[in-house]
Amino acid sequence: MCEANAYLVKEGREELVLEDISILRPEKDELYLQNIFGEQKRIKARIKEMNLIDHRIVLEQG
Amino acid sequence: MCEANAYLVKEGREELVLEDISILRPEKDELYLQNIFGEQKRIKARIKEMNLIDHRIVLEQG
């Protein structure tokens, strides 16, 4: 499967935000995340880098 | 493989920007895109929505 995990960089460390994300949508100053299990999350962050081969979405506080 | 294609919405239509993207990184007012063949592109756009299951990254002009 091709979903990715989102991590938030906080004080130099990566904290897992949500696994198996299928949908990501920026909304004003938030990011809307939805995973393949239907879990949804909104987080005040922006994308730092995504690597789809590694299934990683790295976020930083916005 | 889990790469995705990026499309830019322009006048209501989607224009293919780059296929088989592995890396995406926001840089100031641009997005840096790199695909699995090593092709690189910078585009003045922002992410509108990503759907990793559909392998789609939809961009809009920033």
Side-chain angles (χ1 to χ4, degrees):
Chain A
M1 296 288 281
C2 290
E3 58 279 2
N5 298 336
Y7 302 89
L8 178 65
V9 177
K10 235 178 179 172
E11 297 164 12
R13 292 172 56 186
E14 294 186 355
E15 187 177 279
L16 180 64
V17 174
L18 189 64
E19 288 182 297
D20 299 320
I21 292 167
S22 51
I23 296 173
L24 179 154
R25 189 169 58 231
E27 292 182 344
K28 294 180 192 176
D29 59 341
E30 293 183 327
L31 285 178
Y32 168 80
L33 306 172
Q34 183 182 313
N35 74 9
I36 54 169
F37 307 109
E39 282 182 80
Q40 304 177 351
K41 214 167 237 190
R42 283 186 169 81
I43 180 171
K44 275 197 202 306
R46 57 172 180 260
I47 296 167
K48 185 170 190 282
E49 177 161 319
M50 281 180 24
N51 187 317
L52 298 179
I53 303 304
D54 293 343
H55 305 264
R56 282 168 51 83
I57 301 171
V58 181
L59 308 177
E60 56 190 359
Q61 275 168 321
Chain B
M1 297 288 277
C2 288
E3 57 279 4
N5 299 336
Y7 302 89
L8 179 65
V9 177
K10 235 177 180 174
E11 296 163 12
R13 291 172 57 184
E14 293 185 355
E15 188 177 278
L16 181 64
V17 174
L18 189 63
E19 288 182 297
D20 299 320
I21 292 168
S22 51
I23 295 173
L24 179 154
R25 189 168 58 229
E27 292 181 345
K28 293 181 192 174
D29 59 341
E30 294 184 325
L31 285 178
Y32 169 80
L33 306 171
Q34 183 182 315
N35 73 9
I36 55 170
F37 308 110
E39 282 182 81
Q40 304 177 351
K41 214 166 235 191
R42 285 187 168 80
I43 180 170
K44 276 198 201 306
R46 56 172 180 260
I47 296 167
K48 186 172 190 279
E49 177 161 318
M50 282 180 25
N51 188 318
L52 299 178
I53 303 303
D54 293 344
H55 304 264
R56 282 168 52 82
I57 301 171
V58 181
L59 308 178
E60 56 191 358
Q61 275 167 321

